[in-house]
Amino acid sequence: MTLRIAVLGSTGSVGANTLDVIGRHPDRFRVFALSASSQVDLMLQQCARFKPRFAVMAREDAGRELAGRIESEGLSTKVLTGAPALDEVASHEDVDAVMASIVGAAGLSSCMAAARAGKRLLLANKEALVVGGELFIEAVKEGGATLLPIDSEHSAIFQSLPEDPSTWDTRVEKIILTASGGPFRTRDPKSLRDVTPEQACAHPNWVMGRKISVDSATMMNKALEVIEARFLFGLRPERLEVVIHPQSVIHSMVQYRDTSVVAQLGTPDMRVPIAYGLAWPERVASGAQALDFRSLADMSFEDLDTRGHAERFPGLALAWQTLRAPSGTTAVLNAANEVAVAAFLERRIRFDQIHALNLATLDAVTISKPRSLEDLLDLDASARDAAGQLIGRLAA
């Protein structure tokens, strides 16, 4: 059976890697739909190669341009625009699987649509869980969707857990997420105020988009991953741990009740978890280079309470704090962080002010438990508005 796939966020790094894996297995996978925000040239190339039934552009002007160019190229792909179109293709009756790789809260609605429609949902958008939380998990259960994590850490955990989810709570002692430490693992914390966007985006191991690269530099990406792991795997926050592993060879670990540790290892290449999610429960060639143990000089680990890491990465602790706070707090944290990272990339605030803005936004927003997608989106908007107002004060 050929799996028909909608790749949401196809022009980003995860989307492009997904298409690379799909292209290696034309007998197993077929692209049904692609989506992007504004990259018309790259989307046109992808449509010419994979010939999807639909291409969705978030911006209407980009959609009009793409439609004209697709017509001039003689392609049959139909162009749709706007957020409702994302929900439409994510839940389309002819779609078997959805790769959800739209960055940020913008991808939440289409993830919910795919979940409610019972799709195989390959989740690379961690914000769907960070923002959606219990509501998103409920949609997965009610729709009968199959949820497969694509983040390298969560895929590693999923591969290391028992096959039967009902045994996770009783058989597992804790989950250990590994973190590379990013580009500033050894940098003097006092010098972080001088970090430039270019420095923050220069990750030593992974090739990623600008937003997630900054999150890796602050380790806010790991805070979001802790929150995601809480909802994905159902373990209490105190049973989730983070350890720094600079080599990025061990992608995460599971410690069992008998103290045995099961880990997933591999090269830092997103095509590995993508291929696993696409073919699950089988495995197919990913195109990634195999791990050569003879070339590994050493593998090291660092406790977050040592070497100044707590001062260097203060945002990480917000994961546990927001998980213990009222429902919806994690959504506020995510919105604040998206606004803060954008402001830093635009050079409106300093690198060390990202955490300050996140803290200030959490204090400024009044939270009531969200009971619907609309409630979540309203909370997200309120947090963004508060963060936007706070930026001027920080900059001053």
Side-chain angles (χ1 to χ4, degrees), residues 1-7 14-25 28-31 50 96-100 120-123 146 148-150 155 158-159 270-286:
M1 174 183 170
T2 302
L3 207 66
R4 296 162 297 188
I5 302 167
V7 184
V14 172
N17 278 315
T18 299
L19 293 177
D20 181 88
V21 175
I22 289 173
R24 296 171 186 273
H25 304 279
R28 298 182 63 110
F29 310 119
R30 182 167 67 84
V31 176
F50 292 99
D96 300 309
V98 176
M99 170 58 76
R120 172 183 290 205
L121 182 51
L122 312 181
L123 192 64
T146 300
L148 298 170
I150 299 301
S155 177
F158 184 70
Q159 295 178 58
M270 280 304 298
R271 290 177 296 179
V272 177
I274 288 169
Y276 180 76
L278 285 170
W280 180 87
E282 301 177 40
R283 292 183 184 262
V284 296
S286 65

Side-chain angles (χ1 to χ4, degrees), residues 80-370:
L80 306 174
T81 58
L86 287 173
D87 295 357
E88 180 183 339
V89 298
S91 59
H92 198 286
E93 62 181 2
D94 291 336
V95 167
D96 300 309
V98 176
M99 170 58 76
S101 58
I102 296 174
V103 176
L108 175 59
S109 181
S110 54
C111 284
M112 294 282 278
R116 291 193 182 107
K119 303 302 181 183
R120 172 183 290 205
L121 182 51
L122 312 181
L123 192 64
N125 175 300
K126 62 174 63 69
E127 291 82 4
L129 276 165
V130 173
V131 178
E134 295 172 358
L135 284 174
F136 180 72
I137 294 299
E138 288 173 9
V140 170
K141 293 177 179 177
E142 290 173 2
T146 300
L147 185 60
L148 298 170
I150 299 301
D151 271 353
S152 61
E153 295 83 0
H154 300 92
S155 177
I157 293 164
F158 184 70
Q159 295 178 58
S160 302
L161 283 166
E163 289 187 9
D164 184 357
S166 68
T167 68
W168 290 352
D169 186 58
T170 56
R171 295 178 63 186
V172 172
E173 181 68 26
K174 63 181 176 180
I175 285 171
I176 306 167
L177 293 100
T178 57
S180 69
F184 308 134
R185 180 177 62 86
T186 60
R187 182 161 174 152
D188 181 355
K190 294 183 177 60
S191 71
L192 291 176
R193 62 177 290 128
D194 302 320
V195 164
T196 67
E198 292 75 22
Q199 292 170 330
C201 290
H203 197 282
N205 299 340
W206 297 88
V207 178
M208 305 179 293
R210 283 164 62 81
K211 194 269 182 185
I212 193 171
S213 294
V214 175
D215 281 347
S216 180
T218 62
M219 276 197 38
M220 181 53 66
N221 74 317
K222 208 55 53 177
L224 299 178
E225 287 169 12
V226 168
I227 296 168
E228 184 181 6
R230 166 70 182 95
F231 291 114
L232 268 175
F233 307 118
L235 298 189
R236 297 187 304 276
E238 57 268 24
R239 293 167 66 185
L240 304 173
E241 187 177 304
V242 174
V243 63
I244 290 182
H245 169 51
Q247 294 80 22
S248 295
V249 173
I250 296 176
H251 297 302
S252 277
M253 299 171 274
V254 173
Q255 181 176 312
Y256 285 78
R257 296 290 190 184
D258 63 359
T259 71
S260 299
V261 177
V262 177
Q264 188 265 340
L265 287 70
T267 51
D269 191 319
M270 280 304 298
R271 290 177 296 179
V272 177
I274 288 169
Y276 180 76
L278 285 170
W280 180 87
E282 301 177 40
R283 292 183 184 262
V284 296
S286 65
Q289 185 177 356
L291 193 63
D292 182 2
F293 286 93
R294 294 168 299 181
S295 67
L296 295 176
D298 63 83
M299 288 197 294
S300 59
F301 303 89
E302 298 169 10
D303 192 310
L304 283 161
D305 294 329
T306 63
R307 307 192 186 192
H309 291 324
E311 184 181 359
R312 196 174 285 114
F313 306 119
L316 181 58
L318 293 178
W320 290 271
Q321 293 175 26
T322 55
L323 282 171
R324 294 185 180 109
S327 178
T329 306
T330 57
V332 173
L333 173 62
N334 177 76
N337 186 63
E338 286 190 21
V339 172
V341 170
F344 166 68
L345 289 171
E346 294 165 3
R347 304 178 196 276
R348 291 189 289 144
I349 64 172
R350 299 192 313 267
F351 181 80
D352 62 322
Q353 290 178 319
I354 294 174
H355 177 61
L357 183 59
N358 289 341
L359 282 177
T361 305
L362 286 168
D363 288 339
V365 176
T366 301
I367 299 170
S368 58
K369 183 177 180 178

